[in-house]
Amino acid sequence: MLTGEQYKKSFNDGRATFFEGHRVEDLVAHPVLGQSVDQVAEGYDRWRQPGEDARNPLISVPRSAEELRARIPMQHGADILALVTYQSIMTLTTAADRISGALPEFARRIRAYVEKAQASDIRIVECITDAKGDRSLPPAQQDDPDAYTHVVSRTDKGVVIRGAKLHITAASLAHELMVIPTKAMHKGEESYAIACVVPVNAPGVKIINTSYAPRQEDVRSFPFSSRIHMPEGS
Ligand SMILES: Cc1cc2nc3c(=O)[nH]c(=O)nc-3n(C[C@H](O)[C@H](O)[C@H](O)COP(=O)(O)OP(=O)(O)OC[C@H]3O[C@@H](n4cnc5c(N)ncnc54)[C@H](O)[C@@H]3O)c2cc1C
C-alpha cells in the first residue's frame, strides 16, 4: 500500500491537467487542487497497513453481508477518490462475473486488472458521462463524432480512442481513468461500445478542472467546502 507521500510523488508522470486557463505543473503545491491532494493523501496514511500483501480495506470487495455492513462507517470517513475507486472496482468485478460465461478470457483479464490495481493501491475514476452533443440524436449521427467517446483506429497493441468525458470527479488526482459508455449502444454504434482503462498520463489525455472550492480568503461563509472539496475534470 502507498503512503500519502508516495501518492503525492506519483503525480510526477507528465499528466496534462489545467485549471483556470493554466497548465498545472505541480498539483501538490497548487493553492486549490493541492488541498484536495492533501485530503486524498491523508486517506492513504489513515488506511495504510505495512506488508507487501496488505490491501486497503476501502477498495477491497466485501465477501459477506457482515463485511458489507462493516464497510459503511469506514466509507463515511473516506475521501471521495477512494470511494470512486471502490465503485470502479465493484463495477469491474460485477462485469467480470456477468460476462464470465460468454467471454471467459475477458473476465480473466478484468479480474487480473482489479487484483493489480488493489495490490498497487492506485486510484481509479469513473469516466461515464459523455459530452453527448445533441441529446435528440444517437452517437453516430452527431455533427461532432467525438461527442461520444469512440474507437478511431485499431493496432496490434490495442485501440486508439477519441472523445470527451465530462464532470469526472477527481480525474486529475487519480492514476487511471475507467472509461465506459454513458448508455447502451445499438447496431451501427459498435465503435462507441468501448470500455477500457486509460492512464491519466497517456498521450493525448487533457483534463480541464473545475472546483467548487471557495476562492475567498475569508472562508467563514464556507465552513465545509473551504476544507473538503474535490475538483471535477473534463
Ligand atoms: C458534481 C458532479 C460530479 C460528477 N461526477 C461524475 C463522475 O465521476 N463520472 C461521470 O461519468 N459523471 C459524473 N458526473 C456527471 C453526471 O453523471 C451527469 O451530469 C448526469 O449523468 C447528467 O448528464 P448531463 O450533465 O449530460 O445531462 P443531460 O443528459 O444533458 O440531461 C439534462 C436534463 O435533460 C434531460 N434529458 C436528457 N436527454 C433528454 C432527452 N433526449 N429527452 C428528454 N429529456 C432529456 C435529463 O433527464 C436531465 O434532466 C458528475 C456530475 C456532477 C454535477
Side-chain angles (χ1 to χ4, degrees):
M1 290 173 65
L2 297 182
T3 63
E5 212 44 48
Q6 287 170 325
Y7 166 66
K8 288 181 178 180
K9 287 207 173 100
S10 69
F11 294 133
N12 298 328
D13 59 1
R15 62 186 60 197
T17 183
F18 300 81
F19 188 71
E20 296 184 340
H22 301 282
R23 182 162 178 166
V24 180
E25 302 296 346
D26 186 349
L27 270 166
V28 178
H30 191 274
V32 177
L33 303 181
Q35 294 174 4
S36 309
V37 171
D38 284 340
Q39 289 158 37
V40 179
E42 278 166 25
Y44 267 103
D45 287 335
R46 181 169 167 203
W47 297 104
R48 186 167 187 278
Q49 291 154 27
E52 285 205 357
D53 294 336
R55 298 283 187 275
N56 187 332
L58 281 173
I59 62 168
S60 304
V61 178
R63 300 285 169 192
S64 65
E66 287 70 36
E67 279 186 29
L68 185 58
R69 208 169 283 122
R71 190 65 53 86
I72 294 167
M74 292 160 70
Q75 290 182 335
H76 283 166
D79 65 87
I80 195 160
L81 182 49
L83 296 178
V84 294
T85 301
Y86 171 65
Q87 286 165 14
S88 304
I89 280 172
M90 292 306 289
T91 300
L92 291 167
T93 304
T94 305
D97 279 355
R98 294 230 177 129
I99 67 171
S100 61
L103 299 162
E105 172 55 18
F106 285 96
R108 186 196 64 73
R109 286 192 216 167
I110 293 172
R111 290 185 181 121
Y113 173 79
V114 167
E115 169 57 29
K116 196 170 152 212
Q118 290 169 326
S120 52
D121 206 11
I122 58 167
R123 295 292 176 263
I124 308 167
V125 288
E126 301 176 290
C127 300
I128 306 162
T129 306
D130 282 298
K132 300 184 204 162
D134 183 339
R135 268 59 170 169
S136 67
L137 295 175
Q141 286 174 28
Q142 298 289 333
D143 286 344
D144 179 354
D146 298 336
Y148 287 77
T149 300
H150 61 129
V151 175
V152 290
S153 69
R154 291 175 186 274
T155 72
D156 53 356
K157 290 193 184 131
V159 293
V160 178
I161 61 170
R162 277 179 65 98
K165 294 283 188 180
L166 304 188
H167 318 300
I168 311 306
T169 300
S172 292
L173 274 53
H175 302 104
E176 304 212 327
L177 310 164
M178 184 189 73
V179 173
I180 56 179
T182 199
K183 61 179 189 178
M185 297 299 167
H186 302 288
K187 204 168 167 46
E189 297 170 348
E190 288 79 3
S191 67
Y192 292 89
I194 175 73
C196 57
V197 176
V198 180
V200 170
N201 67 343
V205 172
K206 290 194 181 68
I207 302 174
I208 316 294
N209 297 276
T210 56
S211 175
Y212 53 86
R215 310 296 197 277
Q216 289 85 344
E217 282 186 16
D218 184 346
V219 293
R220 282 176 295 180
S221 299
F222 308 94
F224 190 78
S225 62
S226 60
R227 292 182 296 109
I228 310 283
H229 52 81
M230 195 55 68
E232 272 89 50
S234 296

